[in-house]
């Protein structure tokens, strides 16, 4: 079984390589629930995968490890009639590629409760162009809608705008008729973002306000934040009365220094978004939307297909903040 293998030496050095391992490494003694084995067709590259590939202690607790939090493929062994051999399934999040061997491998073996049937109107490639990033973007947009942010409420800011989650959030928001303001650190991508339907593009440095003023001009109805840190602090202080900030990421930092004024004086909601442990009823609903009324027309143009032997260089690229759009991994 070809896989991306991450090891840690006794001296603590983490190394990775593309290698062959016997499929028996996937055998599980866990009999607590039925399992399925999947022949993986595509995986994807998420920021979390890159953290796992470099042995980040917040993600990887046991070595050796195989990253890959997203998978689509066919069932080749099944202990559950609901997912017979030959069925096409998606697995995203849960513990895949975290405590569990992940999908940067030709096969995965997972509890059946992690699997979602591949929606008929999505191809396997499209499902991984979305992957955890699309799922997270959709959850962020759903959170804004649930908190009353409509296209009439005002503009929605998307931060880390060229990354995977943010690119898909922009596509969804534009499709749903929102006016979108994109914040990016990549000067070279301003024009491309406008061509994708973004109304205004701001550079990261001009957007972030590091004054300690508790409130800034109430400019935005909502936000999808993939960056965290001072970006999220600025967003909270810039959100208008009863607006909502959906916070899902930490590429700019895990710290959050804020006052309570945005919450007390403007009724701002800070809505946390988690995709890994999202309950199955919500998970199915989000995939159903992404394959019907929220199906994106521009997925192909946002997606690069990457062979497994380019994984190492892609890991370096995403950790350096260099991603534009989504990378689907051809397994
Ligand atoms: P990407 O690397 O594809 O996108 C991240 C983007 O953030 C980059 O393209 C860049 O955009 C911006 N960025 C990178 N470094 C910095 C920095 N130092 N300061 C400010 N901005 C920076 O990652 P993903 O889209 O896969 O993930 C985005 C974030 O969302 C990650 O933190 C990830 O862990 C998190 N996430 C959380 C999930 C959840 O369940 N809560 C699920 C999925 C992702 P630009 O150059 O345009 O500014």
């Amino acid at each position: 079984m070809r896989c991306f293998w991450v090891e840690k030496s006794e001296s603590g050095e983490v190394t990775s390589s593309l290698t062959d391992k016997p499929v028996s490494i996937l055998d599980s003694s866990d009999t607590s629930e039925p399992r399925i084995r999947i022949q993986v067709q595509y995986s994807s590259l998420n920021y979390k995968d890159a953290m796992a590939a470099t042995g980040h202690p917040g993600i990887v607790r046991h070595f050796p490890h195989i990253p890959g939090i997203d998978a689509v493929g066919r069932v080749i062994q099944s202990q559950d009639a609901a997912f017979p051999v030959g069925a096409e399934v998606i697995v995203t999040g849960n513990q895949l590629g975290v405590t569990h061997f992940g999908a940067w491998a030709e096969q995965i073996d997972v509890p059946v409760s992690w699997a979602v049937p591949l929606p008929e109107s999505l191809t396997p490639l499209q499902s991984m162009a979305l992957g955890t990033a699309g799922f997270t973007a959709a959850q962020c947009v759903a959170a804004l809608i649930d908190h009353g942010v409509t296209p009439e409420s005002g503009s929605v800011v998307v931060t880390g705008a060229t990354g995977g989650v943010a690119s898909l959030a922009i596509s969804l928001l534009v499709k749903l008729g929102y006016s979108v303001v994109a914040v990016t650190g990549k000067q070279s991508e301003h024009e491309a973002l406008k061509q994708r339907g973004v109304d205004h593009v701001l550079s990261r440095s001009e957007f972030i306000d590091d004054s300690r003023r508790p409130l800034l001009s109430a400019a935005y109805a909502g936000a999808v934040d993939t960056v965290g840190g001072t970006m999220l602090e600025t967003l909270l202080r810039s959100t208008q009365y009863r607006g909502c900030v959906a916070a899902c990421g930490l590429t700019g930092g895990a710290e959050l220094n804020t006052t309570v004024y945005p919450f007390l004086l403007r009724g701002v909601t800070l809505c946390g978004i988690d995709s890994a442990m999202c309950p199955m009823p919500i998970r199915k609903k989000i995939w159903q939307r992404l394959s019907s009324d929220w199906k994106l027309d521009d997925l192909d143009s946002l997606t690069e297909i990457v062979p497994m032997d380019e994984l190492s260089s892609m890991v370096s690229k995403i950790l350096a903040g260099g991603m534009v759009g989504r990378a689907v991994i051809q397994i």
Side-chain angles (χ1 to χ4, degrees):
M1 180 183 77
R2 201 160 174 245
C3 60
F4 188 91
W5 194 246
V6 183
E7 291 176 288
K8 192 174 192 176
S9 70
E10 277 181 14
S11 66
E13 190 197 1
V14 176
T15 55
S16 60
S17 60
L18 201 56
T19 186
D20 276 304
K21 293 287 169 191
V23 285
S24 57
I25 62 165
L26 301 177
D27 291 346
S28 169
S29 55
D30 180 6
T31 52
S32 59
E33 70 169 304
R35 305 183 70 83
I36 49 175
R37 189 158 293 195
I38 299 165
Q39 186 75 38
V40 181
Q41 189 178 0
Y42 296 107
S43 182
S44 82
L45 173 68
N46 300 279
Y47 196 80
K48 192 172 180 180
D49 296 318
M51 291 167 85
T54 48
H56 191 291
I59 311 282
V60 187
R61 311 257 157 73
H62 307 286
F63 292 90
H65 182 64
I66 302 175
I69 63 171
D70 291 340
V72 66
R74 276 189 197 279
V75 175
I76 52 173
Q77 286 173 27
S78 176
Q79 296 175 342
D80 189 320
F83 290 94
V85 169
E88 287 190 295
V89 292
I90 302 170
V91 181
T92 62
N94 292 284
Q95 291 300 325
L96 188 67
V98 182
T99 58
H100 211 81
F101 281 150
W104 290 2
E106 286 173 331
Q107 293 182 21
I108 55 171
D109 190 282
V110 296
V112 75
S113 60
W114 295 5
V116 174
L118 176 69
E120 270 181 23
S121 58
L122 288 182
T123 64
L125 181 60
Q126 287 171 332
S127 76
M128 285 297 101
L130 293 165
T132 290
F135 186 82
T136 305
Q139 281 211 89
C140 289
V141 173
L144 298 186
I145 294 170
D146 289 349
H147 285 91
V149 179
T150 66
E152 291 70 39
S153 315
S155 301
V156 173
V157 191
V158 181
T159 63
T162 65
V165 174
S167 296
L168 294 165
I170 288 172
S171 294
L172 273 174
L173 289 164
V174 169
K175 182 181 174 78
L176 298 177
Y178 287 85
S179 164
V180 177
V181 175
V183 180
T184 180
K186 298 185 186 81
Q187 189 69 36
S188 58
E189 294 296 321
H190 283 214
E191 202 43 50
L193 283 163
K194 284 188 191 147
Q195 280 171 13
R196 295 194 44 227
V198 165
D199 286 295
H200 296 288
V201 184
L202 299 172
S203 69
R204 195 186 293 163
S205 54
E206 74 179 305
F207 182 79
I208 290 177
D209 179 294
D210 49 19
S211 73
R212 298 315 311 160
R213 281 160 58 205
L215 291 172
L216 303 170
S217 161
Y220 310 109
V224 173
D225 179 45
T226 70
V227 172
T230 50
M231 185 75 83
L232 180 53
E233 292 163 28
T234 305
L235 286 169
L236 288 171
R237 292 183 289 145
S238 312
T239 301
Q240 69 192 34
Y241 188 69
R242 287 199 166 257
C244 176
V245 177
C248 68
L250 46 54
T251 54
E255 301 288 314
L256 178 62
N257 295 306
T258 185
T259 69
V260 293
Y261 291 117
F263 311 118
L264 272 52
L265 299 182
R266 289 188 180 156
V268 168
T269 299
L270 173 57
C271 186
I273 302 294
D274 164 68
S275 290
M277 301 313 290
C278 179
M280 188 49 93
I282 299 173
R283 198 177 277 277
K284 282 188 170 160
K285 202 166 154 188
I286 293 283
W287 278 112
Q288 197 272 331
R289 297 201 93 161
L290 284 168
S291 58
S292 56
D293 51 330
W294 287 10
K295 190 171 176 193
L296 298 175
D297 306 320
D298 58 352
L299 270 184
D300 289 354
S301 63
L302 286 174
T303 308
E304 163 187 16
I305 302 175
V306 175
M308 283 181 89
D309 50 19
E310 287 176 23
L311 274 171
S312 290
S313 60
M314 292 303 289
V315 164
S316 305
K317 184 175 175 180
I318 197 168
L319 289 177
M323 279 304 288
V324 176
R326 288 281 290 156
V328 168
I329 313 301
Q330 172 103 51
I331 301 296

